[in-house]
Amino acid sequence: MVAPLSGITIVESTAVNAPVAVAIAAGFCAKLAKGLGADIYLSPDLAPRSGWPVALRAFLDAGKAVADDQSPYASVDATITDAATADGLLLPSGSITIALSTTASCAQNMPQSEFTLAARTGVLDMVGDPDRAPLMLPGHQPAYAAGLAAFTGLAAALFRRGVQPRYSDRIDANIEDALLWLNWKSVLCESWGVETPTRKGRLTEWPILRCADGWAALVFRDVDWPALKLLLGDARLDDPRFETREARQANRGELFDIAEQALAHFDRAELMQRSLELRLPIGPVIEPQDLPGDLQYALRGAFEKFSLSDGTVYAAPRLPAFSDYPVSSAAKFGDVA
Amino acid sequence: MTRGALSGIRVLDLGIITAGAATSAMLADLGADVIKIESPTYADPFRQWAGSSGDSPFFQATNRNKRGLGLDLKIAGARELFLDLVAKTDIVVENFRRGVLEGLGLDYGALSARNPGIILASISSQGNVGPLANYVSFGTTLEAMSGMAALGGYADGPPAASGHDMNYPDQVVALFAAGMITSALVHRQQSGQGAHLDISQRELTSFLCGDLFAAGMTRETRYREAEDGIHAIQASFALRDGSWLAVSVPAQSHSALTQFLQDHNVRDLPQLFGAADTAEAMVSLRAMGIAVEPVVTGDVAAAHARASGSQAIMAGPDGFPVKGLAFNLTGLPQSIERSAPAIGQDTKDILREVLQLDQDAIMHLADQKIIWIKE
């Protein structure tokens, strides 16, 4: 079977002085292409990754090669780089350039990180307690979101080149826009005359509460209320204080306290089984180390073995790609010098 | 859309709410002809979100750039009409509950029998197959079950999710799915083969934490922005007015910061930001290469976006504020050219154009209630 981007050659090249967030976005964009069969070459001029966590380098760079004199540089289909470097590139016929940056335009000279961009775009305000420091989504979601956006542009340009052989183009993606796009509901609310949401801690619409052996996200819609009462089995929930959506909103804290007392009688496996039976969207919180053994993930082959240069083997999620295409396995980090 | 990287591509959009509908909208932005299929008996639930009267702003913001076909897939004869459209279509996008498409007789086998080159993108919470394929899930459910929630939260608090107001897995899957669908188009150009894409939002959410899995991170050792392995200091600091300031100090700026604090007789950053002129401190820090941004709400973020010329939020052709673009192509720029369609708004035009049906044939279908025409 052929992977969809098999035969495509891409050079990944972010400048030494490019922001780290941009280098990570570029690395993730290239990783997606690699996962779909493209050959990825890291430019010798690539900003060094020496200060990065080993696991991040391994996750992003597995299977990529370092470009050298024998690399097929002359037949590169696309270059993934930072916007400043892209500005200086000439576009030969049929080549595609992905240009990544932190922000759209006028704020580009200000230093930015994924964390500060999350603050600027309202994303950081969305999680945590209102009277405490806000919480960042774990990992590199801002850079990865820009990498995803850039990849879609790359794929579209590759398709266009198949229709129009001499087509060249530059695709611009930036982390600020990717975050604004993801946070669109919050960003657009005021313009619609709707109250702008902000973090509410435990009083959020769907809190994460303790259960017998860990935690569970109490996710439910109004239509789920009868089934949720059945699951929780606490007569206090029949009180008119919880009868309507408005009443439940007004008494949210007390509702969640009662729910948490009821959830103390369920472990996560039981909760999952009962939720499946009752068609409730409750989410048992599953820890990363337990996911490779999760039945749904195991049957679907959602994880693959992953080696670091010191020989440590981890299970990491594979690219959730097509059912018709083979999974591209994560090569050892030693493939990249 | 008159011109775009995907001009000439046709999409039948069975997507609803966010994941499916937003994916199709991205394809429309790239120039594809996206035909949103609904009927008066089954409309996109996003039209009525949060008890709105008329089409909700969430629906309008998501479904711009599409045409509207009124087609009731549950009516006898509708299946055949849909398959006639499939024969002239490149992509079908759906995010129904698992089993719905099969129940309608429109699974991938049926579609590919009519059009071997069809690309069916099935976007689901838990995946198309598996023991939890029918597990009802929303964004927070998936953050909980993917490992992401476990890797977040305060040191003394519960796991954390982006929650109902952001629903991160629902939003990010559109960015991913659009790229996978377009990659399938690239492969079809070379091979002539269609594909059935089985896109699980839960798996994607895990994949997006892949480096943390590779680090062997657990709930005990969970993610801390202060310890990302890249920045010397990264945290939010409280200001005297109760607001917060996000600060990222790269390793190479740490000694300059230390000197700055000494020079200003300040012990540390919390003390610095407790002082009178935070704005002046921000200027100095930025000059040292330190990133500083106030933590703002979405409405303030919108003001920043408008000031910086961001395309991530835009005005539709009727001036209504809608989702914009997450990226753009210089040579074939994307644009918002249509407002979100009413149900059946373009039924006649679509059936004439795609299937060459004449007026009598169209009215016959309408009389049978297979199609719906908005007058």
Side-chain angles (χ1 to χ4, degrees), chain B residues 19-61:
Chain B
T23 298
S24 299
M26 291 189 73
L27 302 176
D29 296 347
L30 284 164
D33 175 23
V34 174
I35 298 171
K36 187 172 180 76
I37 297 177
E38 301 168 274
S39 74
T41 61
Y42 189 78
D44 186 337
F46 228 13
R47 288 187 184 269
Q48 301 299 316
W49 211 247
S52 58
S53 61
D55 287 339
S56 78
F58 304 112
F59 175 85
Q60 295 181 67

Side-chain angles (χ1 to χ4, degrees), chain A residues 65-118:
Chain A
V66 178
D68 57 26
D69 289 343
Q70 276 71 50
S71 299
Y73 243 132
S75 59
V76 165
D77 296 292
T79 302
I80 300 173
T81 187
D82 57 284
T85 301
D87 288 344
L89 289 178
L90 292 173
L91 277 184
S93 172
S95 84
I96 295 156
T97 301
I98 309 299
L100 284 150
S101 55
T102 52
T103 63
S105 56
C106 66
Q108 282 217 24
N109 291 328
M110 282 200 298
Q112 293 285 3
S113 68
E114 293 177 84
F115 187 59
T116 57
L117 288 166

